[in-house]
Amino acid sequence: MTLAAVTFLSACSRDTEGDACAPRGKNMLQDLTFSTLSNPRSQREWLSSEHAAGQTFEYSASDGILKIFKTGGEPWFLLTQSPDPATLGGKRITFGAELKLDLQKPTDHAFTPGGGLALLARKGGKVVINSTLDHEPRLGTTEWLPMSITVKIPPGTDTLRVGFLHQAEGTLRVRKPFLKLAAKEDCLD
């Protein structure tokens, strides 16, 4: 993980409902039910990419649940949104969702194995935050689990991307995604 000196990063998988440190305010993400996935690319809120454009992953949404399933040999798939970073510089944000995993470790690549949350921030083309699967669990079979990462966005950040990464064998499910301001500066996960 690459972090700027001014960046604070934490990850948690505990239930934050009723927690004084839980994120507050308006959800800054669009299409919280993944309903635009089948629209023409220019009309989608979530954009997909995968290693070598290999058409190795299938993804769909139904009843507000995103399902990403590996079908072939390429190592990764990413579904992202790019919120406007100009209004977030110097602020702590929390990105999260509920995840349900049915993922096994792949045998054919050296990337961090698993599935879950990914957040990338750049300033002047340089990566200042790279949080990729910085939570547990990221492999195995689970019921629905709340996962989140909290970071402080460095002032002047010009690119911000948040999303869901699949780098394993099996299925990753996602529901209730959010990006909100962190409630307090002194809250630690």
Side-chain angles (χ1 to χ4, degrees):
M1 175 177 8
T2 303
L3 298 175
V6 297
T7 302
F8 168 80
L9 170 70
S10 61
C12 71
S13 60
R14 62 183 166 81
D15 185 359
T16 57
E17 189 170 320
D19 183 348
C21 294
R24 302 273 191 254
K26 179 185 174 205
N27 194 336
M28 294 176 263
L29 294 178
Q30 305 296 314
D31 188 19
L32 305 179
T33 61
F34 307 101
S35 63
T36 64
L37 290 181
S38 61
N39 290 356
R41 189 168 178 86
S42 65
Q43 297 172 7
R44 295 180 202 166
E45 298 295 341
W46 295 96
L47 298 178
S48 65
S49 59
E50 66 181 282
H51 185 266
Q55 299 177 345
T56 295
F57 293 84
E58 293 178 5
Y59 64 99
S60 62
S62 178
D63 299 322
I65 297 172
L66 169 67
K67 178 182 175 184
I68 307 169
F69 177 71
K70 185 173 181 182
T71 60
E74 294 297 339
W76 60 261
F77 174 88
L78 184 63
L79 189 74
T80 62
Q81 276 192 38
S82 297
D84 180 13
T87 60
L88 300 174
K91 296 179 181 170
R92 286 186 60 221
I93 61 170
T94 300
F95 169 58
E98 291 183 3
L99 305 178
K100 186 174 184 179
L101 310 177
D102 187 8
L103 298 172
Q104 300 78 45
K105 186 174 182 177
T107 58
D108 59 350
H109 68 73
F111 295 105
T112 300
L117 306 176
L119 185 148
L120 179 73
R122 287 190 169 118
K123 180 177 178 179
K126 181 179 177 181
V127 173
V128 292
I129 303 172
N130 185 3
S131 175
T132 303
L133 305 179
D134 289 328
H135 55 76
E136 290 291 342
R138 61 179 185 252
L139 284 170
T141 301
T142 70
E143 292 301 317
W144 288 105
L145 296 171
M147 296 284 182
S148 65
I149 51 177
T150 298
V151 296
K152 186 169 184 178
I153 302 298
T157 296
D158 50 31
T159 303
L160 178 61
R161 185 184 74 200
V162 298
F164 306 102
L165 178 64
H166 188 313
Q167 292 185 157
E169 300 294 328
T171 303
L172 169 65
R173 288 180 175 83
V174 179
R175 70 182 182 190
K176 301 179 183 176
F178 68 89
L179 178 67
K180 296 183 177 187
L181 293 177
K184 296 179 175 178
E185 281 294 318
D186 60 346
C187 289
L188 301 176
D189 292 328

